Amino acid sequence: MHRCQGKLWYNCRNKDRGGEWMYYQSTRNKEVKQTATEAILKGLSKEGGLFVPDQLPKMPFTLERLVEMTYQTLAYEVMSCFFTDIEEEDLKTCIHKAYGENFDHPHIAPLKVTKKGCFLELFHGPTLAFKDMALSILPHLMITSKKAAQEAREIVILTATSGDTGKAALEGFADVEGTKIIVFFPEEGVSAIQKRQMTTQEGENTKVIGIKGNFDDAQTGVKQIFSNKALEEVLNDQGYVFSSANSINIGRLIPQVVYYFYGYSQMVKEGELELGAAMNVVVPTGNFGNILAAYYAKQMGLPIGKLICASNENKVLYDFFNTGTYDSKRAFHVTHSPSMDILISSNLERLLYHISGEDTVCISTLMEALKTKGHYTISPYMKKQLEGFYGGYANEEGTLKAIKTVYEEAQYLMDPHTAVAYDVYETYKEQTKDETPTLIVSTASPYKFTSSVVSAIDPQLAKEDDFQLIDQVEHYLGAPMPTKIKELLTKPICHTAICEVEGMEQSVRAYLKLS
Ligand SMILES: *Cc1c(COP(=O)(O)O)cnc(C)c1O
């Protein structure tokens, strides 16, 4: 028997739990107890907490079996541990629909072994960023949950995006019956390609709105709309209910656990890792969703050594891991890695919950301090639990230099987010001399950030705009550009709305024709 924070681990299949379901608690209230489908539908707990599994399951297969599994089989094995109230057939159907022809690689999340490192490429889905790994399945999970809960109301997905979530969520929910989706993005805080991807979105049920603010403003605005009781009532009267496609939704987080197992399996198959040996992971981090999924995989029993959290110049997490103080009151930087330009990393709350021994009172206090004062400090006990993490950051210069070096020395073209991870990994190795085989998580295609990538390699060319530089990136990669990128050049723009941060609620009301 293993022990996790004083609790017994259990095996996760329904039958192994004696037919018992996994329940989700709130990080801020011990009394809350929801099934997976309820948690997926709600997104966020009523009092503002995030849903967390009541206990983390133990992986239900051996490592020997792991290396035999396809992505889809593995996805079922992992997700069935967490989504225990979804029928086996239904879950398999969701997985089948999510991970198929819409990905441009048969392995879904292929590993690229290069002279400069092993990259787990998570950008082979329809919108060319890692958000597709979860957002291609979330709509299916949500529809399944809606049926299971006999929820008759139409689901309104509210999403704040730092650039990639928005498009991936739009793509996933466009024309899905019984849903509408509204996306808020920082008007001036995303790349030109990211913006075009969103503003050309088709689908009767989609709405895209630029806000005059940054991602944190968008995320805070969305959370406020969620907890607005008066609005909830009006919404209910009109037959609507809100949910979230952000990584605060457990239906986004759990599908992300899968690819860490898959990455391990491919490292073994490629001869980069011995079966059973530990592997480090380095994750370019913003909202802390991706790396939290790696932490869950580790807690489930996957041999992961260090969890290396890579930040850009918005290095609030780097400071947190090094000092135990989280301080969001600081200058906000717009960087070459806009999807990580975040000062309030929502999913950190889940980690705090786990390392505090599931102390909901403590978490409520810390989150209240963050909201009112902009900062909090964790106890020495909690700080001690963070030893499995390493926090690093890359500045803008280091990011661009990494793109150039890896391109020139290994003929591998990284996007700026992946480059942040790479640069932090280099610093980590230098500082610690740790030579453990390491998985570098590659989160976006370089096609989404053409001007940053080209300016890193050949600053002379970088004067042109993002769209003109697509050909240059195609030239570097030496392969034809994805059709999704080609289409962008000619697609009509169908979303032009812009609002002030204070006007977000009004925009929602107007779109849904609420009074
Ligand atoms: C969202 C995103 C990240 C950050 O992931 P989190 O789960 O928010 O930490 C990193 N890179 C890219 C390309 C992204 O889209």
Side-chain angles (χ1 to χ4, degrees), residues 261-372:
F261 285 95
Y262 197 63
Y264 187 95
S265 150
Q266 291 180 93
M267 288 284 279
V268 171
K269 280 195 191 150
E270 291 288 328
E272 296 293 319
L273 188 66
E274 258 178 66
L275 194 73
M279 160 186 99
N280 290 344
V281 299
V282 44
V283 187
T285 298
N287 223 358
F288 210 73
N290 201 351
I291 195 166
L292 186 73
Y295 172 79
Y296 278 8
K298 182 175 177 177
Q299 299 300 97
M300 288 175 76
L302 184 68
I304 290 180
K306 275 278 186 235
L307 295 155
I308 303 170
C309 174
S311 301
N312 65 21
E313 287 183 355
N314 295 294
K315 59 183 181 59
V316 62
L317 287 166
Y318 163 83
D319 291 334
F320 171 71
F321 282 115
N322 288 287
T323 64
T325 295
Y326 192 97
D327 188 357
S328 67
K329 284 268 174 287
R330 59 177 73 207
F332 180 92
H333 300 283
V334 174
T335 71
H336 286 291
S337 44
S339 302
M340 293 156 63
D341 290 345
I342 293 175
L343 293 178
I344 300 170
S345 299
S346 289
N347 274 295
L348 188 65
E349 179 171 343
R350 286 193 167 106
L351 180 67
L352 296 175
Y353 171 85
H354 295 298
I355 63 166
S356 68
E358 306 178 359
D359 186 342
T360 51
V361 176
C362 160
I363 303 306
S364 304
T365 312
L366 295 178
M367 292 304 120
E368 188 57 27
L370 181 64
K371 194 168 151 195
T372 53

Side-chain angles (χ1 to χ4, degrees), residues 163-438:
D164 291 325
T165 294
K167 179 60 184 179
L170 287 162
E171 194 73 10
F173 282 97
D175 292 326
V176 171
E177 222 183 290
T179 70
K180 282 190 172 22
I181 172 159
I182 306 173
V183 168
F184 291 101
F185 74 96
E187 238 288 295
E188 294 185 352
V190 300
S191 83
I193 310 259
Q194 287 178 312
K195 186 168 175 176
R196 185 70 63 87
Q197 280 186 311
M198 290 188 275
T199 56
T200 56
Q201 179 65 45
E202 291 153 4
E204 286 294 314
N205 63 339
T206 64
K207 180 75 181 170
V208 178
I209 305 168
I211 66 154
K212 296 184 184 162
N214 61 35
F215 171 73
D216 291 313
D217 298 324
Q219 177 158 261
T220 306
V222 163
K223 280 189 180 168
Q224 270 166 10
I225 296 175
F226 265 115
S227 51
N228 183 331
K229 294 275 178 302
L231 183 60
E232 191 184 322
E233 255 172 53
V234 183
L235 209 66
N236 184 45
D237 291 345
Q238 300 289 319
Y240 291 124
V241 60
F242 283 138
S243 189
S244 164
N246 279 103
S247 54
I248 50 176
N249 194 314
I250 200 81
R252 265 222 29 215
L253 190 60
I254 301 308
Q256 294 178 179
V257 176
V258 177
Y259 51 73
Y260 287 99
F261 285 95
Y262 197 63
Y264 187 95
S265 150
Q266 291 180 93
M267 288 284 279
V268 171
K269 280 195 191 150
E270 291 288 328
E272 296 293 319
L273 188 66
E274 258 178 66
L275 194 73
M279 160 186 99
N280 290 344
V281 299
V282 44
V283 187
T285 298
N287 223 358
F288 210 73
N290 201 351
I291 195 166
L292 186 73
Y295 172 79
Y296 278 8
K298 182 175 177 177
Q299 299 300 97
M300 288 175 76
L302 184 68
I304 290 180
K306 275 278 186 235
L307 295 155
I308 303 170
C309 174
S311 301
N312 65 21
E313 287 183 355
N314 295 294
K315 59 183 181 59
V316 62
L317 287 166
Y318 163 83
D319 291 334
F320 171 71
F321 282 115
N322 288 287
T323 64
T325 295
Y326 192 97
D327 188 357
S328 67
K329 284 268 174 287
R330 59 177 73 207
F332 180 92
H333 300 283
V334 174
T335 71
H336 286 291
S337 44
S339 302
M340 293 156 63
D341 290 345
I342 293 175
L343 293 178
I344 300 170
S345 299
S346 289
N347 274 295
L348 188 65
E349 179 171 343
R350 286 193 167 106
L351 180 67
L352 296 175
Y353 171 85
H354 295 298
I355 63 166
S356 68
E358 306 178 359
D359 186 342
T360 51
V361 176
C362 160
I363 303 306
S364 304
T365 312
L366 295 178
M367 292 304 120
E368 188 57 27
L370 181 64
K371 194 168 151 195
T372 53
K373 293 188 279 182
H375 59 88
Y376 61 79
T377 301
I378 58 171
S379 68
Y381 170 80
M382 285 168 76
K383 176 111 195 324
K384 183 111 180 50
Q385 315 297 310
L386 292 177
E387 277 170 2
F389 286 87
Y390 169 93
Y393 80 100
N395 61 21
E396 291 288 89
E397 196 194 335
T399 306
L400 296 183
K401 205 173 125 242
I403 294 175
K404 187 177 168 73
T405 309
V406 173
Y407 177 66
E408 288 176 353
E409 293 177 22
Q411 290 74 54
Y412 185 72
L413 191 63
M414 299 184 294
D415 96 289
H417 303 77
T418 309
V420 167
Y422 178 85
D423 190 53
V424 166
Y425 175 49
E426 288 293 300
T427 311
Y428 170 79
K429 273 194 300 189
E430 228 173 81
Q431 273 183 8
T432 61
K433 310 287 180 238
D434 181 3
E435 292 294 330
T436 306
T438 298

Side-chain angles (χ1 to χ4, degrees), residues 404-476:
K404 187 177 168 73
T405 309
V406 173
Y407 177 66
E408 288 176 353
E409 293 177 22
Q411 290 74 54
Y412 185 72
L413 191 63
M414 299 184 294
D415 96 289
H417 303 77
T418 309
V420 167
Y422 178 85
D423 190 53
V424 166
Y425 175 49
E426 288 293 300
T427 311
Y428 170 79
K429 273 194 300 189
E430 228 173 81
Q431 273 183 8
T432 61
K433 310 287 180 238
D434 181 3
E435 292 294 330
T436 306
T438 298
L439 194 66
I440 302 170
V441 175
S442 180
T443 49
S445 157
Y447 277 113
K448 294 192 92 164
F449 306 96
T450 54
S451 58
S452 302
V453 168
V454 174
S455 68
I457 294 173
D458 193 345
Q460 295 291 343
L461 296 173
K463 290 177 200 80
E464 321 229 326
D465 81 15
D466 277 46
F467 293 96
Q468 289 166 319
L469 292 172
I470 290 175
D471 290 341
Q472 188 59 33
V473 169
E474 186 177 39
H475 170 73
Y476 291 145

